[in-house]
Amino acid sequence: MLVIPVGLWNPHLLGGSHDLIMYVTQMFSRGNWLSIAGLLGIFLVLRFAGTMIAYGSTVPGGIFMPIFVLGSILGALAGVLMIHAGVLPASCCLNMVAIGMAAYFGAAEGAPFSAILLVTEMVGSISQIFPMVLLTFVAYYTSMLLGARTSNYDGLREEMVFEN
């Protein structure tokens, strides 16, 4: 019942993760920066809440693509803000989406090298590899300093041990 209003408002949020990432990458050419940033913020909140509800419901499903989607939205949001502030040229918007995916995945899963390799393979280019490595390790070490677990799988293993 929770997803019906979201689907009626924007069906891209409910479809496959790949479709949403493609939709986010195409948003840079539409409207003004403030409306794009606001929409990306709403997307982030809705997808984060939906991911937490789905992940916490113990229904079998993946976590990789939802993490990539959240990272792409965060990267797009950072890209819109930095492009508007004049820090980045507009041609870097797609790179920010890829870098956001790697940084978020590296921090959330505790696997920065895997994040960099997976996103580089998905993007098919190494043009953004240096900033991706830099920001992925910054995100990883920041999450470690804040006391995050090393991986989602560590938490799942702890739950299985305590249940038995």
Side-chain angles (χ1 to χ4, degrees):
M1 295 303 288
L2 294 173
V3 298
I4 291 172
V6 173
L8 291 173
W9 174 64
N10 193 327
H12 293 286
L13 287 170
L14 301 181
S17 298
H18 176 74
D19 294 334
L20 181 58
I21 293 171
M22 294 304 294
Y23 182 71
V24 165
T25 59
Q26 296 166 358
M27 289 179 69
F28 287 101
S29 61
R30 299 184 198 143
N32 66 6
W33 72 274
L34 193 56
S35 65
I36 293 171
L39 193 58
L40 287 170
I42 292 169
F43 281 9
L44 180 67
V45 169
L46 290 175
R47 280 303 288 232
F48 185 80
T51 299
M52 294 304 111
I53 291 169
Y55 191 68
S57 70
T58 68
V59 174
I63 193 69
F64 276 16
M65 282 310 287
I67 288 174
F68 281 134
V69 168
L70 290 172
S72 69
I73 294 171
L74 282 170
L77 185 58
V80 166
L81 296 176
M82 286 195 275
I83 289 168
H84 174 70
V87 176
L88 289 177
S91 60
C92 292
C93 61
L94 293 178
N95 288 342
M96 287 301 297
V97 171
I99 291 167
M101 290 169 67
Y104 192 76
F105 186 89
E109 289 297 323
F113 288 114
S114 297
I116 294 163
L117 290 173
L118 284 169
V119 173
T120 301
E121 181 182 357
M122 288 180 355
V123 172
S125 169
I126 60 169
S127 65
Q128 72 283 351
I129 195 77
F130 181 70
M132 185 185 299
V133 168
L134 183 68
L135 290 175
T136 300
F137 276 99
V138 166
Y140 171 72
Y141 285 117
T142 301
S143 72
M144 292 298 109
L145 287 173
L146 294 174
R149 292 184 189 151
T150 55
S151 162
N152 284 334
Y153 297 109
D154 289 341
L156 291 173
R157 185 178 63 242
E158 288 172 11
E159 287 179 20
M160 288 181 3
V161 168
F162 290 126
E163 287 178 3
N164 293 331

